[in-house]
Amino acid sequence: MLERLVAPSLLAADFSRLREEVQRVEQSGADWLHLDIMDGHFVPNISFGPAVVKAVRAHTRLPFDVQLMIGNPAEYIGAFVQAGADRITVHVETDGGSDRVRQLLREIRERGCKAGLALNPETPLEQVEPFLAEIDLLLVMTVHPGFGGQSFIPETVEKMEAAYVRRAACGLRFRIEIDGGITPETAAAGLLAGADVLVAGTWLFQSRDMAVAIRELRDLAGREAATVKG
Ligand code: DX5
């Protein structure tokens, strides 16, 4: 059974105090730091780039889980590796089709990082199936990417379940990460469906005590527990 992980999303942090916010995340017992890279093209918002990733890298030892929501990821993988990324996730909807996606995943691993593949709420699981043996993480977006503070899309739960069943059927070990509108209620649904990494922005950064909030997410029951309960 894969251990449950919690990754706060820096997009919801107070950008005027990034060092303190990153230290708060680490001191609160988070497992990873999730970094949303947006270019205003692939998604309708602009967040931050390699320079900010490098700047916060100096203030924490947390693994960096970098999600590239950009139109031309191939041109930036090197820069994010140098900035300190430990994991890099690209979107299957990225221009250039499956050969390009396969190349990106291979390059991420060749540069020593873990490779992730993300799919948007409207994208069927079939589109990522050809790559499941070449990834360390599958990111099932539970909101349309681009902004924090959105509501969780319940229809995405079915896709998590299908990914969980597919992973078991193929004897694979990629992690199943969910991201967008994560709160204890929506996380519970995701975990019971088979997710094992929870990305949360608003709910964690707006909590009075992030350590308590992280523990609350971590203590929720997972699919195995449900299965055991039968
Ligand atoms: C949205 C981002 C998410 C977002 C999560 O495109 O990928 O990581 O920051 O924030 P909440 O938890 O507020 O939905």
Side-chain angles (χ1 to χ4, degrees):
M1 184 173 98
L2 287 171
E3 172 208 5
R4 167 101 30 78
L5 302 178
V6 177
S9 168
L10 195 67
L11 192 68
D14 174 352
F15 279 20
S16 70
R17 304 172 40 254
L18 274 182
R19 177 174 53 191
E20 292 87 346
E21 291 280 64
V22 165
Q23 290 167 339
R24 174 162 75 115
V25 168
E26 184 162 3
Q27 286 150 13
S28 299
D31 301 290
W32 298 348
L33 181 67
H34 184 80
L35 298 139
D36 294 307
I37 313 302
M38 303 175 178
D39 65 353
H41 168 69
F42 184 78
V43 289
N45 193 9
I46 296 174
S47 60
F48 45 82
V52 170
V53 173
K54 189 171 179 201
V56 293
R57 179 74 278 176
H59 300 294
T60 175
R61 285 179 305 243
L62 280 174
F64 277 13
D65 178 40
V66 175
Q67 180 188 356
L68 299 183
M69 291 165 269
I70 61 177
N72 50 356
E75 288 169 36
Y76 290 94
I77 291 187
F80 284 105
V81 172
Q82 273 156 27
D86 298 283
R87 308 174 150 267
I88 298 178
T89 296
V90 294
H91 273 256
V92 72
E93 301 89 0
T94 300
D95 295 345
S98 59
D99 290 347
R100 170 58 63 86
V101 170
R102 184 157 280 120
Q103 254 171 9
L104 291 169
L105 296 171
R106 194 172 297 143
E107 183 185 347
I108 292 166
R109 281 183 162 177
E110 280 167 4
R111 286 177 178 269
C113 282
K114 297 279 187 195
L117 190 59
L119 67 169
N120 289 338
E122 63 279 5
T123 304
L125 189 70
E126 290 68 39
Q127 215 167 310
V128 298
E129 290 220 1
F131 311 103
L132 294 181
E134 299 157 62
I135 60 173
D136 303 294
L137 176 137
L138 180 70
L139 169 48
V140 178
M141 287 302 301
T142 47
V143 296
H144 296 288
F147 300 93
Q150 300 181 75
S151 300
F152 180 92
I153 300 172
E155 289 74 21
T156 60
V157 170
E158 217 177 292
K159 216 185 308 183
M160 299 166 208
E161 278 167 346
Y164 180 90
V165 170
R166 198 90 191 104
R167 180 179 68 184
C170 303
L172 297 169
R173 289 190 58 74
F174 57 81
R175 285 193 163 275
I176 300 174
E177 182 176 66
I178 56 175
D179 177 11
I182 299 299
T183 64
E185 295 73 37
T186 56
L191 293 166
L192 289 174
D196 50 69
V197 185
L198 303 171
V199 175
T202 310
W203 194 73
L204 286 176
F205 278 95
Q206 294 188 1
S207 65
R208 241 170 334 104
D209 185 330
M210 191 186 277
V212 171
I214 287 176
R215 274 200 301 279
E216 190 175 344
L217 289 181
R218 195 170 281 129
D219 294 347
L220 290 164
R223 181 163 180 137
E224 280 73 15
T227 310
V228 170
K229 274 196 212 115

